Amino acid sequence: LAKTTQPISMDSYEGQEVNITCSHNNIATNDYITWYQQFPSQGPRFIIQGYKTKVTNEVASLFIPADRKSSTLSLPRVSLSDTAVYYCLVALYSSASKIIFGSGTRLSIRP
Amino acid sequence: SAVISQKPSRDICQRGTSLTIQCQVDSQVTMMFWYRQQPGQSLTLIATANQGSEATYESGFVIDKFPISRPNLTFSTLTVSNMSPEDSSIYLCSVELQGNGEQYFGPGTRLTVT
């Protein structure tokens, strides 16, 4: 399983766009990139997943360059409720694939 | 999606005792996963539980310490045996529905060992 590296913490303000970059130099051909969000006292929640280029859903966008050695989670117009820990993972796209969590990025949003 | 419940939500136990944590899913799933998360830390995978077979444990975790049962496709238990204060942690179960790396997590069980 590819190891991921992401900033330990980030700060931003309400209404700003936040970009969290994750490095995964050893990503394998069949690996997908997945991001989870975790609030205090809750289990992680799936945010978005992608393989290459750009993926967008109602919550976030995920940008993946051609070499796939990194990815960027983009949160548009953050609010205080986006304060959480964000985990970047790479995992094989197959049935019952286990996922390994990295250290995560602790995002703090200020008024 | 899947709705996952865990019991108990929290417990305070004495060292040397054992605690069994239950995980219930509202749909049938093949694989369930058990994680441990110490305060302020990331999640560590303990084991993968496949219905009908023995659980597969990650490095550093053994069956004698963390026995797992998986009697059917909607239920699993994790037992923390012969507890010590180092076992104080949050224990979470999760499931994967579609084989695409998207897992759904339970709310966790906060265990404190005194």
mmCIF file of all heavy atoms in Angstrom, chain A residues 22-72:
data_model
loop_
_atom_site.group_PDB
_atom_site.id
_atom_site.type_symbol
_atom_site.label_atom_id
_atom_site.label_comp_id
_atom_site.label_asym_id
_atom_site.label_seq_id
_atom_site.Cartn_x
_atom_site.Cartn_y
_atom_site.Cartn_z
ATOM 1 N N CYS A 22 -1.743 16.200 -1.001
ATOM 2 C CA CYS A 22 -1.257 14.933 -0.480
ATOM 3 C C CYS A 22 -0.242 14.358 -1.467
ATOM 4 O O CYS A 22 -0.476 14.382 -2.677
ATOM 5 C CB CYS A 22 -2.438 13.976 -0.293
ATOM 6 S SG CYS A 22 -2.002 12.326 0.282
ATOM 7 N N SER A 23 0.844 13.859 -0.948
ATOM 8 C CA SER A 23 1.877 13.248 -1.780
ATOM 9 C C SER A 23 1.797 11.734 -1.651
ATOM 10 O O SER A 23 1.689 11.212 -0.531
ATOM 11 C CB SER A 23 3.257 13.737 -1.347
ATOM 12 O OG SER A 23 4.283 13.017 -1.999
ATOM 13 N N HIS A 24 1.816 11.050 -2.784
ATOM 14 C CA HIS A 24 1.796 9.572 -2.786
ATOM 15 C C HIS A 24 2.682 9.105 -3.920
ATOM 16 O O HIS A 24 2.198 8.618 -4.962
ATOM 17 C CB HIS A 24 0.375 9.023 -2.896
ATOM 18 C CG HIS A 24 -0.602 9.907 -3.584
ATOM 19 N ND1 HIS A 24 -0.686 10.017 -4.948
ATOM 20 C CD2 HIS A 24 -1.548 10.746 -3.075
ATOM 21 C CE1 HIS A 24 -1.633 10.865 -5.269
ATOM 22 N NE2 HIS A 24 -2.176 11.329 -4.160
ATOM 23 N N ASN A 25 3.979 9.213 -3.721
ATOM 24 C CA ASN A 25 4.953 8.941 -4.782
ATOM 25 C C ASN A 25 4.934 7.501 -5.265
ATOM 26 O O ASN A 25 5.303 7.221 -6.402
ATOM 27 C CB ASN A 25 6.357 9.305 -4.293
ATOM 28 C CG ASN A 25 6.532 10.796 -4.134
ATOM 29 O OD1 ASN A 25 6.076 11.577 -4.948
ATOM 30 N ND2 ASN A 25 7.189 11.204 -3.059
ATOM 31 N N ASN A 26 4.561 6.576 -4.388
ATOM 32 C CA ASN A 26 4.627 5.154 -4.747
ATOM 33 C C ASN A 26 3.269 4.582 -5.135
ATOM 34 O O ASN A 26 3.060 3.380 -5.030
ATOM 35 C CB ASN A 26 5.207 4.358 -3.579
ATOM 36 C CG ASN A 26 6.643 4.749 -3.274
ATOM 37 O OD1 ASN A 26 7.420 5.037 -4.177
ATOM 38 N ND2 ASN A 26 6.974 4.776 -2.002
ATOM 39 N N ILE A 27 2.396 5.429 -5.607
ATOM 40 C CA ILE A 27 1.059 4.955 -5.972
ATOM 41 C C ILE A 27 1.166 3.935 -7.102
ATOM 42 O O ILE A 27 1.944 4.093 -8.044
ATOM 43 C CB ILE A 27 0.149 6.135 -6.361
ATOM 44 C CG1 ILE A 27 -1.292 5.669 -6.537
ATOM 45 C CG2 ILE A 27 0.681 6.845 -7.603
ATOM 46 C CD1 ILE A 27 -2.284 6.798 -6.640
ATOM 47 N N ALA A 28 0.387 2.873 -6.985
ATOM 48 C CA ALA A 28 0.404 1.817 -7.992
ATOM 49 C C ALA A 28 -0.631 2.095 -9.076
ATOM 50 O O ALA A 28 -1.551 2.885 -8.894
ATOM 51 C CB ALA A 28 0.127 0.476 -7.332
ATOM 52 N N THR A 29 -0.459 1.416 -10.183
ATOM 53 C CA THR A 29 -1.316 1.652 -11.343
ATOM 54 C C THR A 29 -2.799 1.493 -11.023
ATOM 55 O O THR A 29 -3.632 2.255 -11.499
ATOM 56 C CB THR A 29 -0.936 0.694 -12.481
ATOM 57 O OG1 THR A 29 0.440 0.889 -12.812
ATOM 58 C CG2 THR A 29 -1.800 0.938 -13.715
ATOM 59 N N ASN A 30 -3.125 0.517 -10.199
ATOM 60 C CA ASN A 30 -4.527 0.221 -9.914
ATOM 61 C C ASN A 30 -5.064 0.909 -8.653
ATOM 62 O O ASN A 30 -6.192 0.644 -8.242
ATOM 63 C CB ASN A 30 -4.722 -1.286 -9.775
ATOM 64 C CG ASN A 30 -4.460 -2.005 -11.091
ATOM 65 O OD1 ASN A 30 -4.679 -1.453 -12.164
ATOM 66 N ND2 ASN A 30 -3.983 -3.226 -11.004
ATOM 67 N N ASP A 31 -4.250 1.759 -8.047
ATOM 68 C CA ASP A 31 -4.697 2.439 -6.827
ATOM 69 C C ASP A 31 -5.596 3.621 -7.158
ATOM 70 O O ASP A 31 -5.359 4.354 -8.115
ATOM 71 C CB ASP A 31 -3.498 2.953 -6.024
ATOM 72 C CG ASP A 31 -2.797 1.861 -5.255
ATOM 73 O OD1 ASP A 31 -3.419 0.803 -5.038
ATOM 74 O OD2 ASP A 31 -1.643 2.070 -4.854
ATOM 75 N N TYR A 32 -6.605 3.823 -6.313
ATOM 76 C CA TYR A 32 -7.436 5.003 -6.351
ATOM 77 C C TYR A 32 -7.087 5.902 -5.173
ATOM 78 O O TYR A 32 -6.555 5.445 -4.166
ATOM 79 C CB TYR A 32 -8.917 4.629 -6.288
ATOM 80 C CG TYR A 32 -9.491 4.259 -7.618
ATOM 81 C CD1 TYR A 32 -9.068 3.113 -8.283
ATOM 82 C CD2 TYR A 32 -10.439 5.062 -8.233
ATOM 83 C CE1 TYR A 32 -9.581 2.779 -9.519
ATOM 84 C CE2 TYR A 32 -10.964 4.726 -9.471
ATOM 85 C CZ TYR A 32 -10.524 3.591 -10.108
ATOM 86 O OH TYR A 32 -11.040 3.263 -11.332
ATOM 87 N N ILE A 33 -7.360 7.175 -5.315
ATOM 88 C CA ILE A 33 -7.085 8.162 -4.273
ATOM 89 C C ILE A 33 -8.412 8.540 -3.632
ATOM 90 O O ILE A 33 -9.361 8.918 -4.316
ATOM 91 C CB ILE A 33 -6.402 9.395 -4.865
ATOM 92 C CG1 ILE A 33 -5.078 8.984 -5.524
ATOM 93 C CG2 ILE A 33 -6.177 10.445 -3.784
ATOM 94 C CD1 ILE A 33 -4.611 9.937 -6.581
ATOM 95 N N THR A 34 -8.438 8.430 -2.311
ATOM 96 C CA THR A 34 -9.675 8.652 -1.575
ATOM 97 C C THR A 34 -9.424 9.602 -0.410
ATOM 98 O O THR A 34 -8.371 9.536 0.223
ATOM 99 C CB THR A 34 -10.218 7.318 -1.033
ATOM 100 O OG1 THR A 34 -10.269 6.356 -2.091
ATOM 101 C CG2 THR A 34 -11.602 7.493 -0.444
ATOM 102 N N TRP A 35 -10.367 10.462 -0.156
ATOM 103 C CA TRP A 35 -10.270 11.392 0.966
ATOM 104 C C TRP A 35 -11.433 11.163 1.928
ATOM 105 O O TRP A 35 -12.584 10.978 1.498
ATOM 106 C CB TRP A 35 -10.290 12.838 0.469
ATOM 107 C CG TRP A 35 -9.000 13.267 -0.175
ATOM 108 C CD1 TRP A 35 -8.585 12.985 -1.449
ATOM 109 C CD2 TRP A 35 -7.975 14.061 0.404
ATOM 110 N NE1 TRP A 35 -7.360 13.542 -1.687
ATOM 111 C CE2 TRP A 35 -6.958 14.221 -0.567
ATOM 112 C CE3 TRP A 35 -7.810 14.666 1.654
ATOM 113 C CZ2 TRP A 35 -5.794 14.947 -0.329
ATOM 114 C CZ3 TRP A 35 -6.651 15.400 1.884
ATOM 115 C CH2 TRP A 35 -5.657 15.536 0.895
ATOM 116 N N TYR A 36 -11.080 11.202 3.222
ATOM 117 C CA TYR A 36 -12.061 11.083 4.279
ATOM 118 C C TYR A 36 -11.987 12.315 5.177
ATOM 119 O O TYR A 36 -10.944 12.966 5.294
ATOM 120 C CB TYR A 36 -11.804 9.829 5.136
ATOM 121 C CG TYR A 36 -12.247 8.535 4.510
ATOM 122 C CD1 TYR A 36 -11.484 7.906 3.535
ATOM 123 C CD2 TYR A 36 -13.442 7.936 4.904
ATOM 124 C CE1 TYR A 36 -11.899 6.728 2.966
ATOM 125 C CE2 TYR A 36 -13.854 6.747 4.331
ATOM 126 C CZ TYR A 36 -13.084 6.152 3.373
ATOM 127 O OH TYR A 36 -13.496 4.974 2.796
ATOM 128 N N GLN A 37 -13.109 12.586 5.830
ATOM 129 C CA GLN A 37 -13.224 13.699 6.778
ATOM 130 C C GLN A 37 -13.643 13.127 8.123
ATOM 131 O O GLN A 37 -14.509 12.239 8.177
ATOM 132 C CB GLN A 37 -14.284 14.680 6.272
ATOM 133 C CG GLN A 37 -14.631 15.829 7.183
ATOM 134 C CD GLN A 37 -15.889 16.536 6.675
ATOM 135 O OE1 GLN A 37 -16.944 15.924 6.489
ATOM 136 N NE2 GLN A 37 -15.775 17.831 6.434
ATOM 137 N N GLN A 38 -13.025 13.605 9.184
ATOM 138 C CA GLN A 38 -13.415 13.123 10.510
ATOM 139 C C GLN A 38 -13.611 14.283 11.462
ATOM 140 O O GLN A 38 -12.683 15.076 11.696
ATOM 141 C CB GLN A 38 -12.380 12.154 11.090
ATOM 142 C CG GLN A 38 -12.842 11.525 12.404
ATOM 143 C CD GLN A 38 -11.869 10.530 12.968
ATOM 144 O OE1 GLN A 38 -10.667 10.608 12.739
ATOM 145 N NE2 GLN A 38 -12.376 9.566 13.739
ATOM 146 N N PHE A 39 -14.815 14.343 12.035
ATOM 147 C CA PHE A 39 -15.112 15.308 13.089
ATOM 148 C C PHE A 39 -14.820 14.667 14.433
ATOM 149 O O PHE A 39 -14.827 13.439 14.564
ATOM 150 C CB PHE A 39 -16.578 15.733 13.023
ATOM 151 C CG PHE A 39 -16.942 16.442 11.743
ATOM 152 C CD1 PHE A 39 -17.826 15.863 10.844
ATOM 153 C CD2 PHE A 39 -16.422 17.686 11.449
ATOM 154 C CE1 PHE A 39 -18.167 16.509 9.673
ATOM 155 C CE2 PHE A 39 -16.754 18.338 10.272
ATOM 156 C CZ PHE A 39 -17.627 17.746 9.381
ATOM 157 N N PRO A 40 -14.586 15.481 15.451
ATOM 158 C CA PRO A 40 -14.342 14.920 16.789
ATOM 159 C C PRO A 40 -15.481 14.015 17.240
ATOM 160 O O PRO A 40 -16.648 14.301 17.001
ATOM 161 C CB PRO A 40 -14.242 16.179 17.669
ATOM 162 C CG PRO A 40 -13.794 17.254 16.746
ATOM 163 C CD PRO A 40 -14.457 16.942 15.430
ATOM 164 N N SER A 41 -15.103 12.905 17.844
ATOM 165 C CA SER A 41 -16.053 11.946 18.408
ATOM 166 C C SER A 41 -16.941 11.285 17.359
ATOM 167 O O SER A 41 -18.036 10.798 17.680
ATOM 168 C CB SER A 41 -16.941 12.621 19.458
ATOM 169 O OG SER A 41 -16.149 13.167 20.491
ATOM 170 N N GLN A 42 -16.493 11.279 16.112
ATOM 171 C CA GLN A 42 -17.225 10.577 15.058
ATOM 172 C C GLN A 42 -16.261 9.719 14.251
ATOM 173 O O GLN A 42 -15.055 9.955 14.240
ATOM 174 C CB GLN A 42 -17.919 11.568 14.124
ATOM 175 C CG GLN A 42 -19.014 12.394 14.768
ATOM 176 C CD GLN A 42 -19.743 13.257 13.760
ATOM 177 O OE1 GLN A 42 -19.771 12.955 12.574
ATOM 178 N NE2 GLN A 42 -20.337 14.336 14.236
ATOM 179 N N GLY A 43 -16.814 8.725 13.561
ATOM 180 C CA GLY A 43 -16.004 7.961 12.637
ATOM 181 C C GLY A 43 -15.750 8.757 11.369
ATOM 182 O O GLY A 43 -16.476 9.701 11.051
ATOM 183 N N PRO A 44 -14.716 8.407 10.613
ATOM 184 C CA PRO A 44 -14.432 9.105 9.356
ATOM 185 C C PRO A 44 -15.587 8.984 8.373
ATOM 186 O O PRO A 44 -16.345 8.011 8.395
ATOM 187 C CB PRO A 44 -13.182 8.385 8.836
ATOM 188 C CG PRO A 44 -12.558 7.778 10.044
ATOM 189 C CD PRO A 44 -13.707 7.392 10.915
ATOM 190 N N ARG A 45 -15.685 9.977 7.503
ATOM 191 C CA ARG A 45 -16.735 10.011 6.483
ATOM 192 C C ARG A 45 -16.101 10.190 5.124
ATOM 193 O O ARG A 45 -15.262 11.074 4.932
ATOM 194 C CB ARG A 45 -17.705 11.146 6.775
ATOM 195 C CG ARG A 45 -18.872 11.269 5.809
ATOM 196 C CD ARG A 45 -19.814 12.370 6.264
ATOM 197 N NE ARG A 45 -19.259 13.699 6.040
ATOM 198 C CZ ARG A 45 -19.622 14.518 5.038
ATOM 199 N NH1 ARG A 45 -20.511 14.114 4.154
ATOM 200 N NH2 ARG A 45 -19.079 15.718 4.923
ATOM 201 N N PHE A 46 -16.478 9.352 4.180
ATOM 202 C CA PHE A 46 -15.983 9.440 2.813
ATOM 203 C C PHE A 46 -16.355 10.785 2.193
ATOM 204 O O PHE A 46 -17.484 11.234 2.310
ATOM 205 C CB PHE A 46 -16.586 8.300 1.994
ATOM 206 C CG PHE A 46 -16.293 8.344 0.517
ATOM 207 C CD1 PHE A 46 -15.178 7.721 0.012
ATOM 208 C CD2 PHE A 46 -17.156 8.993 -0.357
ATOM 209 C CE1 PHE A 46 -14.916 7.738 -1.351
ATOM 210 C CE2 PHE A 46 -16.908 9.022 -1.712
ATOM 211 C CZ PHE A 46 -15.784 8.390 -2.217
ATOM 212 N N ILE A 47 -15.379 11.447 1.564
ATOM 213 C CA ILE A 47 -15.649 12.713 0.883
ATOM 214 C C ILE A 47 -15.663 12.539 -0.618
ATOM 215 O O ILE A 47 -16.628 12.889 -1.309
ATOM 216 C CB ILE A 47 -14.591 13.782 1.231
ATOM 217 C CG1 ILE A 47 -14.523 14.072 2.709
ATOM 218 C CG2 ILE A 47 -14.895 15.078 0.479
ATOM 219 C CD1 ILE A 47 -13.430 15.073 3.054
ATOM 220 N N ILE A 48 -14.560 12.012 -1.157
ATOM 221 C CA ILE A 48 -14.415 11.997 -2.604
ATOM 222 C C ILE A 48 -13.344 10.990 -2.986
ATOM 223 O O ILE A 48 -12.458 10.676 -2.176
ATOM 224 C CB ILE A 48 -14.052 13.408 -3.128
ATOM 225 C CG1 ILE A 48 -14.294 13.537 -4.635
ATOM 226 C CG2 ILE A 48 -12.622 13.777 -2.756
ATOM 227 C CD1 ILE A 48 -14.251 14.986 -5.132
ATOM 228 N N GLN A 49 -13.436 10.495 -4.197
ATOM 229 C CA GLN A 49 -12.458 9.532 -4.693
ATOM 230 C C GLN A 49 -12.200 9.795 -6.173
ATOM 231 O O GLN A 49 -13.114 10.194 -6.901
ATOM 232 C CB GLN A 49 -12.977 8.109 -4.508
ATOM 233 C CG GLN A 49 -12.020 7.008 -4.923
ATOM 234 C CD GLN A 49 -12.647 5.632 -4.769
ATOM 235 O OE1 GLN A 49 -13.558 5.263 -5.510
ATOM 236 N NE2 GLN A 49 -12.172 4.888 -3.802
ATOM 237 N N GLY A 50 -10.945 9.545 -6.586
ATOM 238 C CA GLY A 50 -10.637 9.731 -7.998
ATOM 239 C C GLY A 50 -9.459 8.890 -8.423
ATOM 240 O O GLY A 50 -8.715 8.355 -7.578
ATOM 241 N N TYR A 51 -9.297 8.777 -9.742
ATOM 242 C CA TYR A 51 -8.164 8.030 -10.294
ATOM 243 C C TYR A 51 -7.200 8.978 -11.019
ATOM 244 O O TYR A 51 -5.984 8.878 -10.825
ATOM 245 C CB TYR A 51 -8.658 6.958 -11.266
ATOM 246 C CG TYR A 51 -7.550 6.093 -11.808
ATOM 247 C CD1 TYR A 51 -7.040 5.049 -11.043
ATOM 248 C CD2 TYR A 51 -7.007 6.327 -13.069
ATOM 249 C CE1 TYR A 51 -6.013 4.255 -11.531
ATOM 250 C CE2 TYR A 51 -5.980 5.541 -13.558
ATOM 251 C CZ TYR A 51 -5.490 4.507 -12.788
ATOM 252 O OH TYR A 51 -4.455 3.735 -13.271
ATOM 253 N N LYS A 52 -7.729 9.866 -11.844
ATOM 254 C CA LYS A 52 -6.886 10.851 -12.512
ATOM 255 C C LYS A 52 -7.727 12.069 -12.873
ATOM 256 O O LYS A 52 -8.954 12.059 -12.737
ATOM 257 C CB LYS A 52 -6.229 10.268 -13.749
ATOM 258 C CG LYS A 52 -7.203 9.793 -14.809
ATOM 259 C CD LYS A 52 -6.452 9.208 -15.986
ATOM 260 C CE LYS A 52 -7.426 8.698 -17.048
ATOM 261 N NZ LYS A 52 -6.703 8.104 -18.207
ATOM 262 N N THR A 53 -7.076 13.108 -13.284
ATOM 263 C CA THR A 53 -7.648 14.407 -13.683
ATOM 264 C C THR A 53 -8.443 15.017 -12.537
ATOM 265 O O THR A 53 -7.925 15.198 -11.463
ATOM 266 C CB THR A 53 -8.490 14.273 -14.962
ATOM 267 O OG1 THR A 53 -9.591 13.393 -14.741
ATOM 268 C CG2 THR A 53 -7.629 13.740 -16.084
ATOM 269 N N LYS A 54 -9.691 15.333 -12.781
ATOM 270 C CA LYS A 54 -10.463 16.069 -11.790
ATOM 271 C C LYS A 54 -11.792 15.388 -11.522
ATOM 272 O O LYS A 54 -12.464 14.903 -12.432
ATOM 273 C CB LYS A 54 -10.706 17.493 -12.289
ATOM 274 C CG LYS A 54 -11.569 18.348 -11.359
ATOM 275 C CD LYS A 54 -11.842 19.711 -11.970
ATOM 276 C CE LYS A 54 -12.799 20.529 -11.118
ATOM 277 N NZ LYS A 54 -13.087 21.848 -11.717
ATOM 278 N N VAL A 55 -12.143 15.352 -10.249
ATOM 279 C CA VAL A 55 -13.440 14.836 -9.831
ATOM 280 C C VAL A 55 -14.100 15.897 -8.964
ATOM 281 O O VAL A 55 -13.434 16.512 -8.133
ATOM 282 C CB VAL A 55 -13.287 13.521 -9.031
ATOM 283 C CG1 VAL A 55 -14.649 13.012 -8.590
ATOM 284 C CG2 VAL A 55 -12.551 12.478 -9.850
ATOM 285 N N THR A 56 -15.370 16.096 -9.155
ATOM 286 C CA THR A 56 -16.099 17.087 -8.349
ATOM 287 C C THR A 56 -17.416 16.498 -7.885
ATOM 288 O O THR A 56 -18.101 15.821 -8.646
ATOM 289 C CB THR A 56 -16.373 18.362 -9.166
ATOM 290 O OG1 THR A 56 -15.132 18.955 -9.547
ATOM 291 C CG2 THR A 56 -17.155 19.378 -8.352
ATOM 292 N N ASN A 57 -17.735 16.734 -6.630
ATOM 293 C CA ASN A 57 -19.063 16.389 -6.125
ATOM 294 C C ASN A 57 -19.624 17.579 -5.359
ATOM 295 O O ASN A 57 -19.066 18.690 -5.415
ATOM 296 C CB ASN A 57 -19.033 15.100 -5.299
ATOM 297 C CG ASN A 57 -18.153 15.206 -4.065
ATOM 298 O OD1 ASN A 57 -17.882 16.300 -3.570
ATOM 299 N ND2 ASN A 57 -17.711 14.059 -3.576
ATOM 300 N N GLU A 58 -20.688 17.362 -4.634
ATOM 301 C CA GLU A 58 -21.355 18.468 -3.964
ATOM 302 C C GLU A 58 -20.550 19.006 -2.788
ATOM 303 O O GLU A 58 -20.852 20.069 -2.258
ATOM 304 C CB GLU A 58 -22.745 18.045 -3.502
ATOM 305 C CG GLU A 58 -22.753 16.969 -2.432
ATOM 306 C CD GLU A 58 -22.598 15.553 -2.991
ATOM 307 O OE1 GLU A 58 -22.359 15.421 -4.219
ATOM 308 O OE2 GLU A 58 -22.714 14.603 -2.203
ATOM 309 N N VAL A 59 -19.539 18.282 -2.376
ATOM 310 C CA VAL A 59 -18.771 18.672 -1.197
ATOM 311 C C VAL A 59 -17.416 19.257 -1.556
ATOM 312 O O VAL A 59 -16.971 20.239 -0.960
ATOM 313 C CB VAL A 59 -18.561 17.460 -0.272
ATOM 314 C CG1 VAL A 59 -17.702 17.840 0.917
ATOM 315 C CG2 VAL A 59 -19.907 16.904 0.184
ATOM 316 N N ALA A 60 -16.731 18.641 -2.525
ATOM 317 C CA ALA A 60 -15.336 19.010 -2.791
ATOM 318 C C ALA A 60 -14.958 18.688 -4.226
ATOM 319 O O ALA A 60 -15.720 18.063 -4.964
ATOM 320 C CB ALA A 60 -14.422 18.253 -1.822
ATOM 321 N N SER A 61 -13.751 19.104 -4.568
ATOM 322 C CA SER A 61 -13.138 18.727 -5.834
ATOM 323 C C SER A 61 -11.803 18.058 -5.532
ATOM 324 O O SER A 61 -11.146 18.378 -4.536
ATOM 325 C CB SER A 61 -12.912 19.944 -6.726
ATOM 326 O OG SER A 61 -14.140 20.509 -7.129
ATOM 327 N N LEU A 62 -11.438 17.153 -6.399
ATOM 328 C CA LEU A 62 -10.176 16.434 -6.252
ATOM 329 C C LEU A 62 -9.402 16.584 -7.558
ATOM 330 O O LEU A 62 -9.913 16.218 -8.624
ATOM 331 C CB LEU A 62 -10.449 14.961 -5.944
ATOM 332 C CG LEU A 62 -9.231 14.051 -5.798
ATOM 333 C CD1 LEU A 62 -8.325 14.532 -4.678
ATOM 334 C CD2 LEU A 62 -9.682 12.621 -5.533
ATOM 335 N N PHE A 63 -8.198 17.132 -7.451
ATOM 336 C CA PHE A 63 -7.348 17.337 -8.611
ATOM 337 C C PHE A 63 -6.180 16.360 -8.556
ATOM 338 O O PHE A 63 -5.460 16.296 -7.549
ATOM 339 C CB PHE A 63 -6.820 18.776 -8.637
ATOM 340 C CG PHE A 63 -7.907 19.803 -8.732
ATOM 341 C CD1 PHE A 63 -8.466 20.359 -7.588
ATOM 342 C CD2 PHE A 63 -8.376 20.226 -9.962
ATOM 343 C CE1 PHE A 63 -9.469 21.307 -7.674
ATOM 344 C CE2 PHE A 63 -9.376 21.171 -10.064
ATOM 345 C CZ PHE A 63 -9.924 21.722 -8.915
ATOM 346 N N ILE A 64 -5.988 15.636 -9.641
ATOM 347 C CA ILE A 64 -4.929 14.638 -9.708
ATOM 348 C C ILE A 64 -4.132 14.879 -10.982
ATOM 349 O O ILE A 64 -4.690 14.794 -12.083
ATOM 350 C CB ILE A 64 -5.516 13.210 -9.711
ATOM 351 C CG1 ILE A 64 -6.430 13.014 -8.507
ATOM 352 C CG2 ILE A 64 -4.401 12.171 -9.706
ATOM 353 C CD1 ILE A 64 -7.270 11.752 -8.564
ATOM 354 N N PRO A 65 -2.834 15.183 -10.861
ATOM 355 C CA PRO A 65 -2.031 15.422 -12.065
ATOM 356 C C PRO A 65 -1.782 14.132 -12.816
ATOM 357 O O PRO A 65 -2.068 13.046 -12.328
ATOM 358 C CB PRO A 65 -0.729 15.992 -11.490
ATOM 359 C CG PRO A 65 -0.649 15.432 -10.110
ATOM 360 C CD PRO A 65 -2.061 15.334 -9.632
ATOM 361 N N ALA A 66 -1.227 14.275 -13.996
ATOM 362 C CA ALA A 66 -1.047 13.128 -14.878
ATOM 363 C C ALA A 66 -0.159 12.045 -14.248
ATOM 364 O O ALA A 66 -0.404 10.859 -14.443
ATOM 365 C CB ALA A 66 -0.459 13.575 -16.213
ATOM 366 N N ASP A 67 0.855 12.436 -13.494
ATOM 367 C CA ASP A 67 1.744 11.421 -12.920
ATOM 368 C C ASP A 67 1.160 10.763 -11.675
ATOM 369 O O ASP A 67 1.718 9.793 -11.160
ATOM 370 C CB ASP A 67 3.123 12.007 -12.612
ATOM 371 C CG ASP A 67 3.094 13.055 -11.505
ATOM 372 O OD1 ASP A 67 2.018 13.284 -10.906
ATOM 373 O OD2 ASP A 67 4.135 13.654 -11.252
ATOM 374 N N ARG A 68 0.079 11.286 -11.167
ATOM 375 C CA ARG A 68 -0.673 10.739 -10.023
ATOM 376 C C ARG A 68 0.151 10.626 -8.749
ATOM 377 O O ARG A 68 -0.236 9.931 -7.811
ATOM 378 C CB ARG A 68 -1.269 9.376 -10.383
ATOM 379 C CG ARG A 68 -2.162 9.408 -11.563
ATOM 380 C CD ARG A 68 -3.065 8.224 -11.781
ATOM 381 N NE ARG A 68 -2.637 6.979 -11.223
ATOM 382 C CZ ARG A 68 -3.309 6.317 -10.283
ATOM 383 N NH1 ARG A 68 -4.436 6.802 -9.797
ATOM 384 N NH2 ARG A 68 -2.865 5.159 -9.852
ATOM 385 N N LYS A 69 1.266 11.302 -8.679
ATOM 386 C CA LYS A 69 2.095 11.200 -7.481
ATOM 387 C C LYS A 69 1.652 12.144 -6.385
ATOM 388 O O LYS A 69 2.224 12.167 -5.291
ATOM 389 C CB LYS A 69 3.562 11.463 -7.845
ATOM 390 C CG LYS A 69 4.160 10.381 -8.743
ATOM 391 C CD LYS A 69 5.627 10.635 -8.990
ATOM 392 C CE LYS A 69 6.207 9.576 -9.917
ATOM 393 N NZ LYS A 69 6.097 8.205 -9.350
ATOM 394 N N SER A 70 0.652 12.927 -6.661
ATOM 395 C CA SER A 70 0.082 13.798 -5.646
ATOM 396 C C SER A 70 -1.383 14.034 -5.985
ATOM 397 O O SER A 70 -1.835 13.697 -7.088
ATOM 398 C CB SER A 70 0.815 15.141 -5.573
ATOM 399 O OG SER A 70 0.606 15.870 -6.768
ATOM 400 N N SER A 71 -2.093 14.590 -5.040
ATOM 401 C CA SER A 71 -3.485 14.974 -5.289
ATOM 402 C C SER A 71 -3.815 16.157 -4.389
ATOM 403 O O SER A 71 -3.164 16.363 -3.357
ATOM 404 C CB SER A 71 -4.446 13.814 -5.039
ATOM 405 O OG SER A 71 -4.364 13.365 -3.696
ATOM 406 N N THR A 72 -4.805 16.922 -4.795
ATOM 407 C CA THR A 72 -5.206 18.093 -4.016
ATOM 408 C C THR A 72 -6.703 18.069 -3.794
ATOM 409 O O THR A 72 -7.479 18.016 -4.758
ATOM 410 C CB THR A 72 -4.811 19.394 -4.733
ATOM 411 O OG1 THR A 72 -3.394 19.443 -4.890
ATOM 412 C CG2 THR A 72 -5.266 20.613 -3.927
#
